Amino acid sequence: MAGELPAATPDGFYRRVNRTLEKMGFAPMSGRSARLPKLSAERADVHGIDPVVYLKMLMVGFFENLPSERAIASRCADSLSIRGFLGYALTENTPDHSSLSGMALN
């Protein structure tokens, strides 16, 4: 059934942003990087976010003029294009707004 779902692919704008980031050597197209330390929240109940995904989520907030972490997380969860930009499939959960708050390097 999951194979019948549309693929999460970045639209033209976010595809260009990904290409620019790749040219800068910032991150792989997948949006996830095993070689970078995870950002983790101070609270034990909040999951860590890959730093590439974290930065890309903040970029989405800036590009789309979103007023809060909750709005950023909601937009990232709802948009196929942004899911593709972040490297998440439709069946994967994107980071929750609480994961964007109080981040620190492990």
XYZ file of all heavy atoms in Angstrom:
805
model
N 0.808 -1.188 0.000
C 0.000 0.000 0.000
C 0.861 1.267 0.000
O 0.543 2.218 -0.667
C -0.929 -0.022 1.214
C -1.884 1.118 1.223
S -3.463 0.574 0.658
C -4.501 1.445 1.747
N 1.972 1.251 0.772
C 2.835 2.434 0.812
C 3.454 2.706 -0.553
O 3.760 3.847 -0.880
C 3.931 2.256 1.853
N 3.638 1.673 -1.384
C 4.195 1.855 -2.712
C 3.281 2.636 -3.637
O 3.716 3.161 -4.653
N 2.009 2.735 -3.277
C 1.044 3.465 -4.083
C 1.008 4.958 -3.745
O 0.385 5.735 -4.449
C -0.355 2.870 -3.876
C -0.463 1.434 -4.338
C -1.813 0.826 -4.000
O -2.758 1.585 -3.722
O -1.907 -0.393 -4.003
N 1.675 5.343 -2.674
C 1.684 6.745 -2.263
C 2.615 7.547 -3.165
O 3.616 7.020 -3.667
C 2.150 6.858 -0.811
C 1.255 6.196 0.226
C 1.930 6.230 1.589
C -0.102 6.873 0.291
N 2.313 8.832 -3.382
C 3.200 9.652 -4.210
C 4.554 9.834 -3.537
O 4.654 9.843 -2.313
C 2.452 10.984 -4.328
C 1.512 11.010 -3.188
C 1.172 9.579 -2.865
N 5.578 9.969 -4.325
C 6.920 10.198 -3.788
C 7.033 11.639 -3.299
O 6.442 12.551 -3.870
C 7.963 9.932 -4.861
N 7.774 11.817 -2.232
C 8.041 13.162 -1.733
C 9.272 13.687 -2.464
O 10.386 13.246 -2.211
C 8.272 13.129 -0.229
N 9.064 14.581 -3.402
C 10.173 15.154 -4.163
C 10.146 16.673 -4.044
O 9.071 17.282 -4.055
C 10.088 14.768 -5.652
O 8.828 15.196 -6.161
C 10.230 13.274 -5.846
N 11.306 17.295 -3.918
C 11.338 18.753 -3.811
C 10.849 19.418 -5.093
O 11.077 18.898 -6.181
C 12.811 19.075 -3.574
C 13.525 17.800 -3.414
C 12.619 16.699 -3.846
N 10.170 20.549 -4.950
C 9.768 21.303 -6.138
C 10.995 22.038 -6.676
O 12.103 21.896 -6.169
C 8.616 22.261 -5.824
C 9.012 23.403 -4.885
O 10.197 23.534 -4.525
O 8.115 24.171 -4.502
N 10.801 22.825 -7.714
C 11.917 23.497 -8.375
C 12.749 24.369 -7.450
O 13.979 24.331 -7.486
N 12.084 25.141 -6.594
C 12.815 26.032 -5.697
C 13.682 25.239 -4.722
O 14.881 25.487 -4.592
C 11.850 26.929 -4.920
C 12.532 27.761 -3.869
C 13.291 28.861 -4.232
C 12.442 27.429 -2.529
C 13.944 29.623 -3.271
C 13.093 28.174 -1.564
C 13.843 29.281 -1.938
N 13.080 24.273 -4.038
C 13.837 23.506 -3.043
C 14.859 22.579 -3.695
O 15.891 22.281 -3.102
C 12.902 22.749 -2.107
C 12.220 23.680 -1.121
C 10.861 23.927 -1.181
C 12.961 24.334 -0.152
C 10.255 24.797 -0.287
C 12.371 25.213 0.739
C 11.015 25.444 0.677
O 10.425 26.307 1.557
N 14.619 22.175 -4.924
C 15.611 21.391 -5.663
C 16.854 22.257 -5.918
O 17.985 21.810 -5.772
C 15.006 20.888 -6.973
C 15.673 19.664 -7.516
C 15.013 19.046 -8.726
N 13.892 19.728 -9.327
C 12.624 19.321 -9.236
N 12.317 18.239 -8.579
N 11.658 20.010 -9.821
N 16.631 23.525 -6.272
C 17.760 24.447 -6.490
C 18.507 24.731 -5.185
O 19.732 24.833 -5.169
C 17.275 25.744 -7.134
C 16.912 25.566 -8.603
C 16.637 26.883 -9.300
N 15.514 27.611 -8.749
C 14.234 27.440 -9.094
N 13.925 26.547 -10.017
N 13.283 28.149 -8.546
N 17.770 24.859 -4.087
C 18.421 25.055 -2.793
C 19.296 23.843 -2.467
O 20.443 23.994 -2.037
C 17.383 25.299 -1.671
C 18.057 25.309 -0.299
C 16.642 26.605 -1.896
N 18.776 22.625 -2.677
C 19.555 21.409 -2.444
C 20.824 21.391 -3.300
O 21.904 21.051 -2.819
C 18.725 20.156 -2.737
C 18.105 19.572 -1.492
O 18.582 19.784 -0.383
N 17.046 18.826 -1.670
N 20.692 21.754 -4.577
C 21.866 21.775 -5.472
C 22.908 22.773 -4.977
O 24.105 22.500 -4.994
C 21.446 22.110 -6.898
C 21.020 20.889 -7.683
C 20.937 21.197 -9.152
N 19.960 22.243 -9.402
C 18.831 22.078 -10.076
N 18.529 20.914 -10.603
N 17.990 23.068 -10.241
N 22.442 23.933 -4.527
C 23.359 24.948 -4.008
C 24.071 24.438 -2.760
O 25.291 24.598 -2.621
C 22.599 26.251 -3.691
O 21.979 26.722 -4.889
C 23.523 27.318 -3.135
N 23.335 23.805 -1.868
C 23.950 23.243 -0.659
C 24.960 22.156 -1.008
O 26.032 22.081 -0.402
C 22.874 22.682 0.278
C 21.967 23.712 0.955
C 20.852 23.020 1.718
C 22.760 24.629 1.864
N 24.634 21.331 -1.996
C 25.561 20.280 -2.421
C 26.839 20.878 -3.002
O 27.935 20.402 -2.717
C 24.901 19.374 -3.458
C 23.896 18.422 -2.868
C 23.192 17.610 -3.939
O 23.303 17.933 -5.136
O 22.525 16.641 -3.566
N 26.711 21.929 -3.828
C 27.884 22.579 -4.416
C 28.784 23.155 -3.327
O 29.998 23.210 -3.477
C 27.462 23.686 -5.372
C 26.932 23.179 -6.696
C 26.526 24.325 -7.578
C 25.835 23.818 -8.832
N 25.337 24.932 -9.658
N 28.171 23.595 -2.235
C 28.925 24.143 -1.110
C 29.525 23.029 -0.253
O 30.283 23.302 0.675
C 28.013 25.019 -0.255
C 27.530 26.263 -0.957
S 26.215 27.140 -0.064
C 26.911 27.338 1.549
N 29.176 21.773 -0.565
C 29.676 20.654 0.225
C 28.991 20.523 1.558
O 29.498 19.883 2.475
N 27.801 21.125 1.678
C 27.113 21.141 2.972
C 26.477 19.810 3.337
O 26.637 19.340 4.445
C 26.046 22.243 2.984
C 25.282 22.294 4.274
C 25.874 22.800 5.410
C 23.994 21.815 4.348
C 25.191 22.827 6.609
C 23.302 21.844 5.538
C 23.897 22.354 6.666
N 25.719 19.221 2.412
C 24.969 18.026 2.786
C 24.622 17.195 1.574
O 24.494 17.711 0.476
C 23.687 18.445 3.488
N 24.434 15.907 1.781
C 23.970 15.056 0.681
C 22.516 15.374 0.346
O 21.797 15.929 1.159
C 24.105 13.643 1.243
C 24.042 13.816 2.714
C 24.641 15.168 3.010
N 22.082 15.022 -0.853
C 20.726 15.293 -1.307
C 19.681 14.661 -0.398
O 18.587 15.162 -0.262
C 20.548 14.768 -2.742
C 19.215 15.035 -3.358
S 18.997 16.784 -3.656
C 17.502 16.761 -4.603
N 20.030 13.569 0.262
C 19.062 12.875 1.101
C 18.581 13.733 2.255
O 17.518 13.502 2.803
C 19.661 11.587 1.661
O 20.661 11.901 2.588
N 19.380 14.721 2.641
C 18.979 15.557 3.757
C 19.402 15.006 5.095
O 19.176 15.616 6.116
N 20.039 13.849 5.090
C 20.476 13.247 6.342
C 21.952 12.915 6.232
O 22.405 12.446 5.213
C 19.669 12.005 6.644
C 18.198 12.335 6.689
C 17.440 11.317 7.417
N 16.038 11.649 7.292
C 15.100 10.767 7.180
N 15.387 9.498 7.188
N 13.856 11.140 7.096
N 22.681 13.147 7.277
C 24.118 12.934 7.234
C 24.588 12.178 8.469
O 24.526 12.700 9.567
C 24.828 14.288 7.147
O 26.209 14.107 7.199
N 25.055 10.962 8.273
C 25.527 10.135 9.384
C 26.836 10.659 9.963
O 27.169 10.365 11.096
C 25.700 8.703 8.909
N 27.574 11.464 9.187
C 28.882 11.903 9.657
C 28.808 13.101 10.609
O 29.785 13.470 11.227
C 29.791 12.221 8.476
C 29.275 13.290 7.575
C 30.072 13.346 6.275
N 29.331 14.041 5.276
C 29.335 15.348 5.111
N 30.067 16.108 5.869
N 28.614 15.906 4.174
N 27.643 13.728 10.728
C 27.496 14.869 11.620
C 26.838 14.432 12.923
O 25.997 13.548 12.931
C 26.623 15.945 10.958
C 27.195 16.565 9.699
C 26.168 17.474 9.052
C 28.451 17.345 10.013
N 27.218 15.056 14.051
C 26.576 14.685 15.311
C 25.115 15.116 15.314
O 24.760 16.130 14.724
C 27.380 15.461 16.359
C 27.983 16.600 15.618
C 28.201 16.116 14.207
N 24.284 14.344 15.979
C 22.862 14.688 16.081
C 22.692 15.851 17.037
O 23.421 15.986 18.009
C 22.067 13.503 16.628
C 21.878 12.422 15.623
C 20.434 12.330 15.296
C 20.220 11.126 14.413
N 19.082 11.237 13.605
N 21.718 16.689 16.753
C 21.313 17.714 17.696
C 20.284 17.063 18.604
O 19.366 16.398 18.140
C 20.684 18.903 16.966
C 21.622 19.673 16.056
C 20.841 20.679 15.224
C 22.675 20.390 16.858
N 20.430 17.241 19.882
C 19.468 16.624 20.783
C 18.921 17.659 21.744
O 19.587 18.628 22.097
C 20.101 15.473 21.555
O 21.138 15.960 22.366
N 17.722 17.423 22.145
C 17.069 18.340 23.066
C 17.532 18.056 24.484
O 18.015 16.982 24.799
C 15.560 18.183 22.950
N 17.370 19.034 25.348
C 17.717 18.879 26.751
C 16.784 17.864 27.415
O 17.177 17.164 28.320
C 17.578 20.238 27.455
C 18.370 21.350 26.802
C 19.737 21.503 27.402
O 19.884 21.173 28.576
O 20.644 21.927 26.680
N 15.542 17.789 26.959
C 14.557 16.882 27.554
C 14.722 15.484 26.983
O 14.950 15.314 25.800
C 13.146 17.389 27.257
C 12.864 18.713 27.900
C 11.489 19.269 27.610
N 10.572 18.372 26.989
C 9.729 18.707 26.021
N 9.740 19.925 25.548
N 8.895 17.834 25.513
N 14.565 14.489 27.818
C 14.749 13.100 27.394
C 13.626 12.616 26.482
O 13.825 11.690 25.711
C 14.840 12.198 28.620
N 12.451 13.246 26.541
C 11.317 12.776 25.742
C 11.298 13.346 24.332
O 10.421 13.034 23.551
C 9.996 13.099 26.449
C 9.764 14.589 26.641
O 10.754 15.325 26.803
O 8.602 15.012 26.648
N 12.260 14.179 23.997
C 12.316 14.794 22.670
C 13.453 14.150 21.888
O 14.565 14.031 22.372
C 12.543 16.322 22.780
C 12.654 16.937 21.410
C 11.416 16.965 23.561
N 13.157 13.705 20.668
C 14.156 13.033 19.838
C 15.096 14.043 19.187
O 14.711 15.150 18.873
C 13.463 12.206 18.748
C 12.596 11.135 19.311
N 13.110 10.031 19.951
C 11.258 11.006 19.364
C 12.124 9.269 20.355
N 10.987 9.842 20.014
N 16.345 13.621 18.966
C 17.319 14.469 18.308
C 17.011 14.636 16.827
O 16.298 13.836 16.231
N 17.531 15.696 16.256
C 17.340 15.991 14.830
C 18.704 16.035 14.173
O 19.649 16.614 14.707
C 16.654 17.358 14.628
C 15.306 17.410 15.312
C 16.502 17.671 13.152
C 14.638 18.765 15.205
N 18.798 15.444 12.989
C 20.004 15.564 12.193
C 20.249 17.057 11.950
O 19.322 17.797 11.616
C 19.792 14.824 10.866
C 21.025 14.843 10.011
O 21.347 15.924 9.479
O 21.643 13.788 9.868
N 21.487 17.545 12.116
C 21.744 18.976 11.945
C 21.417 19.498 10.544
O 21.046 20.655 10.385
C 23.230 19.130 12.253
C 23.772 17.780 12.461
C 22.660 16.808 12.544
N 21.542 18.645 9.533
C 21.183 19.066 8.167
C 19.678 19.310 8.090
O 19.224 20.322 7.553
C 21.627 18.003 7.138
C 21.106 18.326 5.754
C 23.141 17.883 7.124
N 18.903 18.407 8.650
C 17.443 18.551 8.658
C 17.057 19.778 9.474
O 16.190 20.564 9.080
C 16.759 17.277 9.206
C 15.267 17.483 9.382
C 17.039 16.094 8.289
N 17.705 19.979 10.603
C 17.421 21.130 11.461
C 17.626 22.442 10.698
O 16.759 23.313 10.683
C 18.321 21.070 12.696
C 18.126 22.191 13.677
C 16.948 22.303 14.409
C 19.123 23.141 13.883
C 16.770 23.336 15.318
C 18.952 24.167 14.792
C 17.779 24.263 15.511
O 17.594 25.272 16.409
N 18.778 22.572 10.046
C 19.045 23.792 9.283
C 18.033 23.961 8.154
O 17.524 25.063 7.924
C 20.462 23.801 8.717
C 20.761 25.041 7.863
C 20.767 26.291 8.726
C 22.055 24.897 7.123
N 17.732 22.869 7.455
C 16.769 22.965 6.352
C 15.386 23.359 6.854
O 14.673 24.119 6.197
C 16.709 21.647 5.577
C 17.929 21.430 4.692
C 17.799 20.155 3.892
C 18.914 19.999 2.892
N 18.697 18.840 2.012
N 14.999 22.870 8.026
C 13.706 23.272 8.585
C 13.707 24.761 8.919
O 12.715 25.454 8.678
C 13.365 22.430 9.816
C 13.002 20.996 9.472
S 12.571 19.987 10.903
C 10.875 20.552 11.190
N 14.815 25.259 9.453
C 14.910 26.695 9.724
C 14.872 27.501 8.427
O 14.275 28.589 8.373
C 16.181 27.008 10.513
C 16.245 26.432 11.928
C 17.578 26.789 12.574
C 15.083 26.911 12.772
N 15.492 26.967 7.368
C 15.442 27.630 6.063
C 14.000 27.693 5.548
O 13.582 28.724 5.010
C 16.339 26.898 5.065
C 17.812 27.021 5.383
S 18.853 25.954 4.361
C 18.819 26.849 2.822
N 13.256 26.612 5.713
C 11.842 26.600 5.305
C 11.092 27.700 6.052
O 10.309 28.456 5.460
C 11.194 25.218 5.570
C 9.682 25.285 5.448
C 11.770 24.176 4.619
N 11.332 27.805 7.352
C 10.683 28.857 8.137
C 10.999 30.243 7.614
O 10.128 31.107 7.525
N 12.255 30.466 7.225
C 12.662 31.757 6.683
C 12.046 32.000 5.312
O 11.437 33.051 5.068
C 14.191 31.828 6.603
C 14.692 33.086 5.960
C 14.717 34.277 6.670
C 15.119 33.081 4.644
C 15.166 35.441 6.074
C 15.572 34.235 4.040
C 15.594 35.426 4.759
N 12.192 31.034 4.398
C 11.696 31.200 3.034
C 10.187 31.391 2.982
O 9.667 32.097 2.126
C 12.074 30.002 2.157
C 13.549 29.862 1.901
C 14.123 28.604 1.847
C 14.362 30.961 1.701
C 15.483 28.449 1.603
C 15.721 30.822 1.461
C 16.282 29.558 1.413
N 9.482 30.728 3.885
C 8.018 30.770 3.855
C 7.429 31.705 4.914
O 6.223 31.731 5.114
C 7.477 29.348 3.975
C 8.032 28.483 2.858
C 7.171 27.303 2.502
O 6.042 27.180 3.025
O 7.638 26.492 1.683
N 8.304 32.473 5.563
C 7.885 33.482 6.535
C 6.968 32.885 7.615
O 5.914 33.428 7.915
C 7.195 34.659 5.829
C 7.130 35.890 6.721
O 7.977 36.089 7.578
N 6.099 36.701 6.515
N 7.406 31.774 8.175
C 6.609 31.097 9.200
C 6.968 31.667 10.572
O 8.143 31.838 10.880
C 6.839 29.588 9.143
C 6.459 28.948 7.806
C 6.885 27.488 7.763
C 4.974 29.081 7.546
N 5.967 31.972 11.393
C 6.195 32.719 12.628
C 6.697 31.910 13.827
O 7.099 32.500 14.824
C 4.822 33.304 12.940
C 3.870 32.294 12.389
C 4.540 31.765 11.142
N 6.654 30.579 13.762
C 7.004 29.806 14.952
C 7.544 28.428 14.582
O 7.382 27.965 13.451
C 5.767 29.634 15.842
O 4.812 28.813 15.185
N 8.154 27.790 15.567
C 8.645 26.420 15.367
C 7.493 25.465 15.098
O 7.609 24.540 14.314
C 9.453 25.980 16.586
C 10.748 26.756 16.707
C 11.355 26.721 18.089
O 10.666 26.326 19.051
O 12.533 27.092 18.206
N 6.374 25.715 15.745
C 5.179 24.885 15.519
C 4.714 25.011 14.067
O 4.383 24.028 13.419
C 4.065 25.294 16.475
C 2.860 24.392 16.419
C 1.803 24.823 17.434
N 2.272 24.783 18.795
C 2.137 23.760 19.614
N 1.549 22.664 19.192
N 2.575 23.818 20.851
N 4.731 26.234 13.530
C 4.315 26.454 12.138
C 5.304 25.794 11.169
O 4.902 25.229 10.153
C 4.200 27.953 11.855
N 6.595 25.864 11.498
C 7.616 25.229 10.650
C 7.402 23.724 10.623
O 7.374 23.102 9.555
C 9.038 25.558 11.144
C 9.338 27.044 10.967
C 10.078 24.711 10.412
C 10.605 27.509 11.673
N 7.242 23.122 11.794
C 7.048 21.671 11.877
C 5.783 21.243 11.146
O 5.777 20.234 10.434
C 6.993 21.233 13.337
N 4.729 22.015 11.281
C 3.465 21.698 10.612
C 3.615 21.772 9.096
O 3.155 20.884 8.371
C 2.383 22.663 11.083
O 1.183 22.436 10.405
N 4.265 22.808 8.606
C 4.471 22.969 7.162
C 5.344 21.843 6.609
O 5.076 21.300 5.535
C 5.112 24.330 6.887
C 5.389 24.605 5.438
C 4.116 24.906 4.677
N 4.467 25.259 3.323
C 3.973 24.656 2.256
N 3.075 23.704 2.375
N 4.350 25.024 1.059
N 6.378 21.483 7.345
C 7.273 20.400 6.903
C 6.544 19.062 6.870
O 6.807 18.233 5.999
C 8.493 20.322 7.808
S 9.615 21.737 7.627
N 5.633 18.849 7.797
C 4.876 17.594 7.842
C 3.832 17.521 6.735
O 3.539 16.436 6.228
C 4.208 17.433 9.201
N 3.271 18.668 6.340
C 2.143 18.700 5.400
C 2.536 18.767 3.932
O 1.740 18.455 3.063
C 1.240 19.901 5.691
C 0.446 19.724 6.959
O 0.366 18.591 7.454
O -0.098 20.724 7.456
N 3.741 19.198 3.624
C 4.128 19.451 2.239
C 4.988 18.326 1.670
O 6.062 18.019 2.200
C 4.904 20.765 2.158
O 5.491 20.929 0.892
N 4.529 17.725 0.573
C 5.334 16.697 -0.107
C 6.656 17.275 -0.595
O 7.704 16.639 -0.498
C 4.572 16.115 -1.294
C 3.443 15.149 -0.988
C 2.735 14.750 -2.266
C 3.966 13.931 -0.263
N 6.609 18.470 -1.125
C 7.809 19.109 -1.646
C 8.836 19.336 -0.540
O 10.024 19.054 -0.713
C 7.427 20.439 -2.291
O 8.563 21.140 -2.683
N 8.396 19.824 0.593
C 9.321 20.099 1.696
C 9.810 18.795 2.309
O 10.971 18.682 2.693
C 8.679 21.035 2.733
C 8.446 22.405 2.080
C 9.556 21.167 3.966
C 7.665 23.377 2.913
N 8.957 17.779 2.375
C 9.408 16.458 2.839
C 10.553 15.958 1.963
O 11.540 15.426 2.461
C 8.263 15.442 2.786
C 7.279 15.572 3.894
C 6.125 14.579 3.669
N 5.394 14.406 4.874
C 5.734 13.588 5.866
N 6.798 12.856 5.764
N 5.001 13.511 6.943
N 10.417 16.146 0.659
C 11.490 15.751 -0.258
C 12.758 16.551 -0.018
O 13.857 16.010 -0.047
N 12.605 17.844 0.210
C 13.741 18.721 0.511
C 14.469 18.250 1.772
O 15.696 18.239 1.831
C 13.224 20.155 0.674
C 14.247 21.150 1.133
C 15.376 21.417 0.375
C 14.062 21.864 2.303
C 16.307 22.368 0.789
C 14.973 22.805 2.732
C 16.103 23.056 1.973
N 13.710 17.825 2.773
C 14.291 17.361 4.037
C 14.820 15.932 3.950
O 15.574 15.496 4.815
C 13.250 17.435 5.163
C 12.702 18.808 5.517
C 11.615 18.690 6.573
C 13.804 19.749 5.970
N 14.389 15.190 2.922
C 14.823 13.802 2.769
C 13.906 12.801 3.459
O 14.329 11.697 3.767
N 12.650 13.179 3.690
C 11.689 12.295 4.346
C 10.679 11.759 3.342
O 10.157 12.510 2.522
C 10.926 13.044 5.446
C 11.731 13.224 6.709
C 12.646 14.259 6.832
C 11.582 12.350 7.776
C 13.389 14.421 7.977
C 12.319 12.507 8.932
C 13.219 13.545 9.029
O 13.949 13.694 10.170
N 10.384 10.470 3.441
C 9.325 9.863 2.633
C 7.979 10.197 3.263
O 7.901 10.618 4.426
C 9.512 8.352 2.578
N 6.923 9.988 2.497
C 5.583 10.293 2.988
C 5.214 9.462 4.213
O 4.469 9.902 5.071
C 4.560 10.065 1.869
C 3.123 10.468 2.158
C 3.031 11.943 2.515
C 2.244 10.170 0.975
N 5.765 8.282 4.315
C 5.425 7.387 5.429
C 6.274 7.634 6.678
O 6.042 7.011 7.708
C 5.592 5.917 5.000
O 6.921 5.734 4.505
C 4.585 5.557 3.914
N 7.257 8.538 6.605
C 8.105 8.847 7.754
C 7.597 10.087 8.477
O 7.095 11.016 7.853
C 9.538 9.130 7.303
C 10.267 7.953 6.712
C 11.659 8.350 6.270
O 11.762 8.982 5.201
O 12.612 8.029 7.001
N 7.769 10.093 9.788
C 7.408 11.272 10.577
C 8.529 12.297 10.501
O 9.701 11.960 10.679
C 7.174 10.896 12.040
C 5.929 10.078 12.242
O 4.959 10.231 11.507
N 5.951 9.204 13.218
N 8.171 13.540 10.247
C 9.140 14.632 10.285
C 9.291 15.074 11.745
O 8.442 14.766 12.580
C 8.666 15.813 9.410
O 7.377 16.218 9.840
C 8.640 15.441 7.937
N 10.369 15.785 12.071
C 10.560 16.206 13.460
C 9.406 17.068 13.972
O 8.867 17.911 13.262
C 11.864 17.002 13.413
C 12.595 16.437 12.244
C 11.526 16.115 11.240
N 9.061 16.844 15.211
C 8.008 17.588 15.898
C 8.529 18.975 16.291
O 9.736 19.169 16.438
C 7.602 16.800 17.148
C 6.430 17.420 17.846
O 5.308 17.314 17.336
O 6.652 18.023 18.927
N 7.613 19.920 16.485
C 8.012 21.276 16.860
C 8.801 21.290 18.158
O 9.711 22.107 18.323
C 6.796 22.197 16.961
C 5.920 21.905 18.128
N 6.100 22.497 19.344
C 4.871 21.063 18.259
C 5.198 22.038 20.193
N 4.443 21.170 19.554
N 8.505 20.392 19.078
C 9.224 20.372 20.355
C 10.687 19.961 20.163
O 11.541 20.310 20.981
C 8.535 19.431 21.342
O 8.490 18.115 20.835
N 10.980 19.268 19.073
C 12.359 18.886 18.777
C 13.193 20.069 18.291
O 14.414 20.030 18.349
C 12.395 17.785 17.710
O 11.770 16.632 18.177
N 12.517 21.113 17.788
C 13.230 22.287 17.295
C 13.650 23.232 18.412
O 14.498 24.088 18.209
C 12.351 23.054 16.294
C 12.030 22.346 14.996
C 11.004 23.150 14.207
C 13.264 22.120 14.179
N 13.057 23.077 19.591
C 13.338 23.972 20.717
C 14.446 23.415 21.598
O 14.526 22.209 21.809
C 12.080 24.136 21.563
O 11.026 24.614 20.786
N 15.255 24.254 22.132
C 16.268 23.866 23.104
C 17.271 22.867 22.604
O 17.603 21.929 23.306
N 17.763 23.040 21.378
C 18.693 22.077 20.781
C 20.116 22.341 21.267
O 20.517 23.456 21.478
C 18.641 22.174 19.260
C 17.253 21.984 18.678
S 16.406 20.513 19.235
C 17.432 19.278 18.535
N 20.886 21.234 21.420
C 22.300 21.313 21.780
C 23.042 20.175 21.118
O 22.475 19.120 20.886
C 22.450 21.221 23.296
N 24.312 20.376 20.806
C 25.118 19.314 20.205
C 25.445 18.256 21.239
O 25.762 18.553 22.369
C 26.422 19.879 19.646
C 26.330 20.531 18.293
C 27.672 21.163 17.934
C 25.935 19.534 17.224
N 25.360 16.991 20.796
C 25.780 15.874 21.658
C 27.279 15.755 21.624
O 27.903 15.923 20.661
C 25.175 14.555 21.168
C 23.864 14.266 21.843
O 23.512 14.898 22.838
N 23.161 13.298 21.294
